[in-house]
């Protein structure tokens, strides 16, 4: 725990004593300062509210997330509500534990809708979506937020998953036939090339010769959830350290696609930041 | 405004008087009942909190959203923060205006990250994502929530957009070359076939011969945002009326794909709820 988070912890304790609600406290502080009869108590700020968004303003100076402390809960959280829940709940709970309000006022189960690419639909990877929601929660600068979200999706598309090796296997993990140990996990990795759950899961399962609804798929996605949650924590730390963030460039193949298909074209304009060749594999050669 | 929402409005007014925070009030009520000296005041429930999730429990009996009242703000909201913001803010503000807490405690700008398929990346349509977040916020039953989210994405894929005709064009709407009037809008419609922004926007712009970064694209997506927000309100109302929700079936073509590619396959298993032939157009004939 950082010095800053300890200070914030003290504020949270004051709030928990129940001495009036946030609005009341704010009014009291403001009123006292306005009247000039009582010196303003700068050591007792109002408790941050969920509506005081984004939440970067509520982080103590020098605050950083503990990446390792996020990953193991993300892995276990997967088995308690899916990939989006794993990433979202691990990050939000860590922020609640180390920062307090307003993170501790958020519903920890909010991410359960996002599993399997939102309700099992195969859309955006739920772990990525959970991370997207938390980045959005924290980062105040629009340009940096946009760059971080772009970078998270590009990083996911180009990273060989799974990487994470749990400290302890989840008690509900069962029917795993592949070897996910530290010594062997590199041999199980596949680069998804797409940020969509459907493509990411289907291609991994096909490469490994396992079902998309079995224990190996769960073992893969639970570890991937820890990988994504850890990446999000690392990205937020990088942003907090510098106050800026720059996304990696689009790959060379997709960049060449945009030469003929810019958004400004009136013929076949393309609106996207993702790589092109994963879905449009028929356009990679002999095109146009 | 329904009778139920008026009653709830009264509760909100009590809260706004600043007579102690939610936690304090809860403790006071509980304490009084426990001591037995003061009769419990059943007419003054604690103000719902953001963490009291999902929020169906806070809706007055018989509550319904006003679909028409959501659409126009969603359309204008698009021009103030994108498609996800348009849908999210219109729905959340309507819920805040008619229900109060906890909707009025949520950050109204939370959806600005989602525009253009999340940070312009072309992933899930932001209007759909905004709707997904609100459905998730309200619906308490997991099976119904899953069915609603599936149905929303399937409905989007199969619906000819845009449909909505604003009561008044947004003051910032400019450089529109196509005729979006009620008399002509049907001639502008295209079925996106994909719930992804990239495919939805690119195919519409190509069909209409307009740029993906010009005024016509904005005019299309702002009206689509109203369409999606209205659909979400209608879906939530249907769920509230019946307490259940059943998603429409997968299309016949995709169902036949799943015959050879079930999730349980160890060869080429498919994990998805979306239609197959949009991306895998090369598999529709002469396959395998």
């Amino acid at each position: 725990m950082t010095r800053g988070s300890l200070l914030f912890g003290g504020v949270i304790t004051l709030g928990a004593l129940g001495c009036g609600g946030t609005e009341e406290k704010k009014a009291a502080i403001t009123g006292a300062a306005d009247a000039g009869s009582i010196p303003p108590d700068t050591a007792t700020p109002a408790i941050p509210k969920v509506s005081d968004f984004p939440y970067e303003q509520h982080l103590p100076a020098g605050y950083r997330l503990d990446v390792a402390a996020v990953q193991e809960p993300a892995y276990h959280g997967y088995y308690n509500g899916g990939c989006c829940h794993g990433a979202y709940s691990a990050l939000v709970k860590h922020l609640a534990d180390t920062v307090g309000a307003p993170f501790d006022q958020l519903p920890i189960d909010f991410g359960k809708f996002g599993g399997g690419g939102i309700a099992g639909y195969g859309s955006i990877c739920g772990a990525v979506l959970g991370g997207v929601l938390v980045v959005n929660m924290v980062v105040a600068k629009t340009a940096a937020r946009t760059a971080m979200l772009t970078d998270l999706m590009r990083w996911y598309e180009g990273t060989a998953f799974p990487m994470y090796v749990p400290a302890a296997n989840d008690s509900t993990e069962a029917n795993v036939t592949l070897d996910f140990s530290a010594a062997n996990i590199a041999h199980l990795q596949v680069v998804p090339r797409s940020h969509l759950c459907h493509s990411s899961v289907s291609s991994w399962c096909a490469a490994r010769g396992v079902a998309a609804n079995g224990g190996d798929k769960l073992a893969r996605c639970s570890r991937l959830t820890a990988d994504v949650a850890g990446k999000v924590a690392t990205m937020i730390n990088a942003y907090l350290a510098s106050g800026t963030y720059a996304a990696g460039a689009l790959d060379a193949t997709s960049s060449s696609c945009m030469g003929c298909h810019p958004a400004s074209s009136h013929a076949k304009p393309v609106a996207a930041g993702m790589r092109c060749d994963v879905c449009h594999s028929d356009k990679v050669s002999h095109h146009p």
Side-chain angles (χ1 to χ4, degrees), chain A:
Chain A
M1 190 176 264
T2 64
R3 181 177 155 274
S5 67
L6 280 170
L7 284 174
F8 249 66
V11 172
I12 294 151
T13 306
L14 286 176
L17 292 174
C19 310
T22 303
E23 286 298 348
E24 191 181 19
K25 190 171 291 173
K26 252 190 182 165
I29 293 167
T30 312
D34 287 348
S37 56
I38 306 171
D41 183 359
T42 52
T44 313
I47 297 171
K49 294 182 296 184
V50 174
S51 56
D52 298 335
F53 169 88
Y55 306 144
E56 184 179 342
Q57 62 187 307
H58 307 306
L59 302 180
Y63 176 79
R64 302 287 183 270
L65 289 92
D66 181 343
V67 175
V70 164
Q71 290 181 298
E72 188 79 4
Y75 159 74
H76 289 292
Y78 175 86
Y79 285 103
N80 190 35
C83 49
C84 185
H85 173 68
Y88 180 92
S89 64
L91 287 159
V92 169
K93 182 162 190 311
H94 181 65
L95 287 159
D97 289 347
T98 55
V99 176
F103 299 102
D104 60 1
Q105 300 169 26
L106 296 169
I108 203 73
D109 288 338
F110 191 84
K112 290 187 174 179
F113 75 97
I118 303 179
Y121 201 70
S123 186
I124 182 172
C125 165
V128 173
L129 180 55
V132 164
L133 294 175
V134 174
V135 167
N136 177 53
M137 221 174 258
V138 171
V139 177
K141 295 176 185 168
T142 302
R145 183 190 72 207
T146 298
M148 290 172 77
L149 299 183
T150 300
D151 208 49
L152 176 60
M153 292 187 274
R154 281 197 185 141
W155 167 82
Y156 179 95
E157 294 179 352
T159 300
F161 295 108
M163 295 182 283
Y164 188 68
V165 178
N169 283 1
D170 194 83
S171 61
T172 64
E173 200 162 85
N175 302 315
V176 179
T177 68
L178 300 170
D179 178 5
F180 286 85
S181 69
N184 193 65
I185 196 163
H187 298 121
L188 304 184
Q189 293 171 351
V190 176
V191 177
R193 304 182 72 234
S194 165
H195 75 289
L196 300 180
C197 164
H198 157 56
S199 183
S200 175
V201 168
S202 302
S203 63
W204 186 85
C205 291
R208 293 284 77 83
V210 297
N213 62 354
D216 291 302
K217 182 268 184 188
L218 302 180
R220 179 262 189 182
C221 289
S222 58
R223 287 157 179 80
L224 177 151
T225 297
D227 292 328
V228 171
K231 174 68 176 179
V232 170
T234 303
M235 291 173 67
I236 293 175
N237 284 347
Y239 166 74
L240 293 175
S242 68
T244 61
Y245 203 97
L250 189 64
D251 63 289
T253 301
S254 303
S255 295
S256 85
C257 299
M258 302 306 277
C260 294
H261 298 283
S264 58
S265 164
H266 284 233
K268 289 201 167 185
V270 166
M274 70 183 85
R275 59 185 303 153
C276 307
D277 59 345
V278 184
C279 294
H280 299 289
S281 54
D282 58 324
K283 304 289 194 303
V284 175
S285 59
H286 307 293
H287 169 80

